[in-house]
């Protein structure tokens, strides 16, 4: 499966705090593409807008019990007939940062 990225995803990667965190985010995408890991389906929420076609994965290079980062991705054109895995956004858990970035990178409005 091909791996693509939304406009804005590279800026999200660059905004992560260090090399280890950036590498882990990209490694997680590879694991998803290879079918070794699967995230949780997102939905539409007032605080984040409609991310119902996306999935989230929690990660943290420190291995903490409450991972500090979220990776948002989706299958294109859809989950059933997917030809590509699209990296949508990555960011911190705090203040819904990753989901706000996802809405922005998808060009959508919050509800």
């Amino acid at each position: 499966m091909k791996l693509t990225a939304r406009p804005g995803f590279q800026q999200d990667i660059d905004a992560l705090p260090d090399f280890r965190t950036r590498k882990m985010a990209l490694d997680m995408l590879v694991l998803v593409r290879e079918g070794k890991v699967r995230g949780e389906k997102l939905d539409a929420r007032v605080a984040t807008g409609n991310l119902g076609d996306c999935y989230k994965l929690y990660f943290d290079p420190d291995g903490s019990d409450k991972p500090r980062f979220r990776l948002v991705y989706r299958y294109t054109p859809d989950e059933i007939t997917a030809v590509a895995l699209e990296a949508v956004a990555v960011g911190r858990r705090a203040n819904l940062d990753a989901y706000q970035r996802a809405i922005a990178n998808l060009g959508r409005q919050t509800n």
Side-chain angles (χ1 to χ4, degrees), residues 3-109:
L3 183 57
T4 63
R6 293 291 306 170
F9 184 77
Q10 184 62 52
Q11 289 87 341
D12 294 351
I13 288 288
D14 293 343
L16 292 172
D18 55 40
F19 175 80
R20 277 184 21 184
T21 307
R22 289 188 288 275
K23 183 176 181 333
M24 188 171 200
L26 297 173
D27 288 348
M28 297 298 285
L29 278 171
V30 171
L31 291 174
V32 170
R33 184 182 68 187
E34 292 174 350
K36 295 178 180 173
V37 178
R38 186 171 185 107
E40 296 175 38
K41 188 120 169 91
L42 289 167
D43 54 18
R45 302 242 170 146
V46 172
T48 59
N50 185 5
L51 293 173
D53 58 340
C54 298
Y55 291 79
K56 65 180 173 183
L57 266 178
Y58 305 128
F59 71 98
D60 196 319
D62 293 341
S64 89
D65 289 339
K66 266 220 179 274
R68 296 172 294 160
F69 302 96
R70 304 287 182 266
L71 173 67
V72 179
Y73 66 92
R74 67 182 181 169
Y75 297 96
T76 58
D78 58 56
E79 187 178 353
I80 306 302
T81 59
V83 296
L85 177 70
E86 185 175 54
V88 174
V90 64
R92 291 186 178 276
R93 173 180 180 261
N95 301 317
L96 302 173
D97 177 59
Y99 308 131
Q100 299 297 341
R101 289 173 180 274
I103 286 293
N105 291 352
L106 289 165
R108 297 178 182 168
Q109 301 295 313

